[in-house]
Amino acid sequence: MGVTVDVHQVYKYPFEQVVASFLRKYPNPMDKNVISVKIMEEKRDESTGIIYRKRIAVCQNVVPEILRKSLSTLVILCWKTVSILKVPNIQLEEESWLNPWERNMAIQSHCLTWTQYASMKEESVFRESMENPNWTEFIQRGRISITGAGFLNCILETFASTFLRQGAEKGIRIMEMLLKEQCGAPLAE
């Protein structure tokens, strides 16, 4: 079935400052779930000016122990042995395309861990706000679907939906804090 989480935020800061803060947002003591972020590839298309980045984030496995044990028990009852949820960390791949001339950045990310049981994808955009060119609009849509866990699919998807929504809210708070620290008070209308 799957669940979708949509986020929309307007940062009252210029595009360049918002993107710079986003790119150095993690790791951060305000979110201990993100352990590390490593740039795997970065290149600029000389004809368009678009900067492409591929990053890998290592995050703590946040699936509650009770769900890990429940799925392991279910799998054992079905005569399979899988310890897929018992991994300590998960990896996410993020690709971004920054167009400094048009003042937008598109981001796509997906989970590299648990791919045979779960699909997690996010698409995000930072762009100059239509309301005020000195502000930046952030739009994100995340989708998670779980398969192979029987009746626990729905429970795991509900947990994932709650975690994604809370993570998005925390990410926005971190961005606001970083922007305020680095750039001062938000720009007025």
Side-chain angles (χ1 to χ4, degrees):
M1 185 168 93
V3 293
T4 302
V5 174
D6 291 312
V7 176
H8 182 260
Q9 175 72 16
V10 175
Y11 295 103
K12 294 183 177 182
Y13 294 90
F15 172 79
E16 294 76 11
Q17 292 174 340
V18 172
V19 167
S21 291
F22 172 79
L23 292 172
R24 60 178 177 260
K25 179 169 72 169
Y26 295 116
N28 185 304
M30 287 182 63
D31 190 347
K32 300 203 184 302
N33 291 328
V34 181
I35 298 166
S36 66
V37 177
K38 182 177 180 184
I39 297 174
M40 305 305 288
E41 183 178 354
E42 184 170 353
K43 60 185 175 185
R44 176 189 287 267
D45 182 318
E46 296 303 324
S47 64
T48 64
I50 294 174
I51 301 167
Y52 169 80
R53 286 183 188 88
K54 183 189 289 188
R55 305 190 306 171
I56 302 288
V58 177
C59 305
Q60 286 183 317
N61 181 353
V62 296
V63 176
E65 193 62 35
I66 186 107
L67 289 178
R68 294 185 208 189
K69 287 180 180 178
S70 296
L71 186 58
S72 295
T73 302
L74 172 69
V75 169
I76 289 168
L77 290 173
C78 294
W79 301 103
K80 301 178 194 171
T81 53
V82 175
S83 59
I84 192 73
L85 290 181
K86 292 187 177 188
V87 297
N89 301 321
I90 60 169
Q91 289 190 336
L92 303 171
E93 180 180 80
E94 173 193 273
E95 293 180 281
S96 65
W97 296 265
L98 170 61
N99 187 329
W101 295 335
E102 293 184 11
R103 299 183 83 204
N104 67 55
M105 183 167 79
I107 306 161
Q108 293 181 354
S109 54
H110 64 276
C111 187
L112 298 174
T113 310
W114 304 326
T115 55
Q116 65 271 43
Y117 297 101
S119 169
M120 189 288 291
K121 295 180 180 181
E122 285 181 349
E123 293 184 1
S124 309
V125 174
F126 286 99
R127 65 182 179 205
E128 181 180 295
S129 172
M130 301 291 259
E131 193 176 340
N132 182 329
N134 290 317
W135 295 352
T136 305
E137 187 175 14
F138 172 64
I139 301 166
Q140 183 178 63
R141 169 166 274 187
R143 178 152 178 79
I144 291 185
S145 59
I146 313 268
T147 58
F151 66 91
L152 288 177
N153 286 356
C154 188
I155 294 169
L156 289 167
E157 286 176 349
T158 300
F159 169 77
S161 172
T162 301
F163 181 76
L164 270 183
R165 194 172 316 282
Q166 289 173 348
E169 291 167 3
K170 185 188 290 184
I172 288 169
R173 284 193 308 273
I174 291 170
M175 284 287 292
E176 291 283 1
M177 182 206 65
L178 289 174
L179 287 162
K180 194 170 185 179
E181 282 177 3
Q182 297 164 7
C183 309
L187 298 173
E189 297 184 40

